[in-house]
Amino acid sequence: MKIWLDGRLADKADARLSVFDHGTLYGDGVFEGIRVYSGKIFECQAHVERLFASAAKVRLTIPYTRQQIVEAMQQTLAANAMTDGYIRLVVTRGEGTLGLSPFKCPRGSVFVIADQIELYPREMYDRGMPVIVARTRRTSPTMLDPSVKSLNYLNNIMAKLEALDAGVGEAIMLNDRGEVSEATGDNIFIIKGGGVLTPPVSAGILQGVTRRVVMELCAAAGIDCREQTILPAELYAADECFLTGTAAEVIPVTKIDNRPIASGEVGPISRRLIKAFYEFIRR
Ligand code: PMP
């Protein structure tokens, strides 16, 4: 496997960062996860823009242009002869000294991995996935803007551990007001009375690229879809539920905290949107 690291392609075993990189020392950095379908980088511009927006919000200078970042991804795909898979694009603060100050890191590091990813067992895409509501709350926007896709995922990892301890693959996180925000690495949608609902950005979520695509697919299909505050009680009482994310794609949820959602079967609107999503990526 070839890794693109700071301007050159290296073998996986040789692609190394300094232990003094603030990405490693402090989780100081930003990243993107991006799908590749049939040789095409899915929603490439949206991901590159979000990477630069995340970096700007934490005052991290990416030492390449947007075009160079796209070329780095294309070179990595070509070097690995990959046409379908998952790209991990990472920008760290770079090598510095001990101590938090990012000003001690003269230049950020960029690397690109092209690999495969499977978050949840394949059969759950058909039959639905059980999840829990985590006790761990999602980081408040007053602490760290959740729209920054940063290398600090410990908040999400703590919730993921709760899910794994409970024997399920995913956890829904509430924000500090007790409203539904998102899953540990996915956005959430519920369906109630034929309408599709997803928490607003103000609920403290990462603005998912897949979330936006699904909202557009709803609009194109004439399905009412809106951003609305969702309380845990509304989650349990939903007719249907699904999660969206680059790695997850669109996965139906059929059980929350051991309670079946409606009949416990994957519902018709979820099925329709999952089908529309796969048609969209193959277009
Ligand atoms: N929320 C979080 C916390 C995420 O990490 C992700 C991405 N894995 C998402 C939502 C989904 O975003 P996207 O659709 O852009 O992958």
Side-chain angles (χ1 to χ4, degrees), residues 64 104 113 129 152 156 173 183 234 281:
Y64 299 96
K104 299 287 172 61
I113 301 169
M129 175 168 71
N152 272 280
N156 313 56
M173 301 180 78
E234 295 167 314
I281 63 180

Side-chain angles (χ1 to χ4, degrees), residues 95-147:
E95 189 175 342
T97 54
L98 297 180
L100 292 180
S101 172
F103 299 135
K104 299 287 172 61
C105 309
R107 187 184 158 93
S109 260
V110 178
F111 61 88
V112 184
I113 301 169
D115 201 355
Q116 300 299 323
I117 194 163
E118 192 184 284
L119 280 196
Y120 313 118
R122 209 59 236 170
E123 67 266 16
M124 288 190 179
Y125 285 80
D126 216 37
R127 279 189 243 136
M129 175 168 71
V131 304
I132 59 158
V133 175
R135 285 184 303 277
T136 306
R137 296 284 171 101
R138 187 76 176 94
T139 312
S140 157
T142 59
M143 301 169 187
L144 177 66
D145 183 348
S147 70

Side-chain angles (χ1 to χ4, degrees), residues 50 149 153 156 182 184-187 206 208-210 244-246:
R50 189 171 66 185
K149 197 164 168 58
Y153 258 61
N156 313 56
E182 60 184 339
T184 67
D186 309 318
N187 291 112
L206 181 80
V209 171
T210 321
T244 65
T246 294

Side-chain angles (χ1 to χ4, degrees), residues 7-121:
R8 62 183 195 94
L9 287 160
D11 285 329
K12 180 180 168 183
D14 301 326
R16 296 186 183 280
L17 285 182
S18 165
V19 293
F20 282 89
D21 192 304
H22 280 206
T24 313
L25 287 173
Y26 302 116
D28 187 351
V30 297
F31 75 102
E32 283 295 317
I34 309 171
R35 283 269 180 188
V36 183
Y37 296 116
S38 309
K40 196 162 170 263
I41 301 174
F42 184 66
E43 295 291 318
C44 183
Q45 197 188 341
H47 282 288
V48 172
E49 284 308 321
R50 189 171 66 185
L51 182 79
F52 276 80
S54 292
K57 283 180 190 153
V58 298
R59 296 168 60 188
L60 167 57
T61 304
I62 300 177
Y64 299 96
T65 63
R66 286 164 170 75
Q67 185 56 35
Q68 286 172 319
I69 292 291
V70 173
E71 283 164 13
M73 290 194 279
Q74 285 164 343
Q75 283 170 23
T76 316
L77 292 174
N80 292 285
M82 181 182 283
T83 54
D84 288 271
Y86 176 89
I87 294 171
R88 177 59 55 89
L89 167 59
V90 182
V91 185
T92 72
R93 187 73 69 173
E95 189 175 342
T97 54
L98 297 180
L100 292 180
S101 172
F103 299 135
K104 299 287 172 61
C105 309
R107 187 184 158 93
S109 260
V110 178
F111 61 88
V112 184
I113 301 169
D115 201 355
Q116 300 299 323
I117 194 163
E118 192 184 284
L119 280 196
Y120 313 118

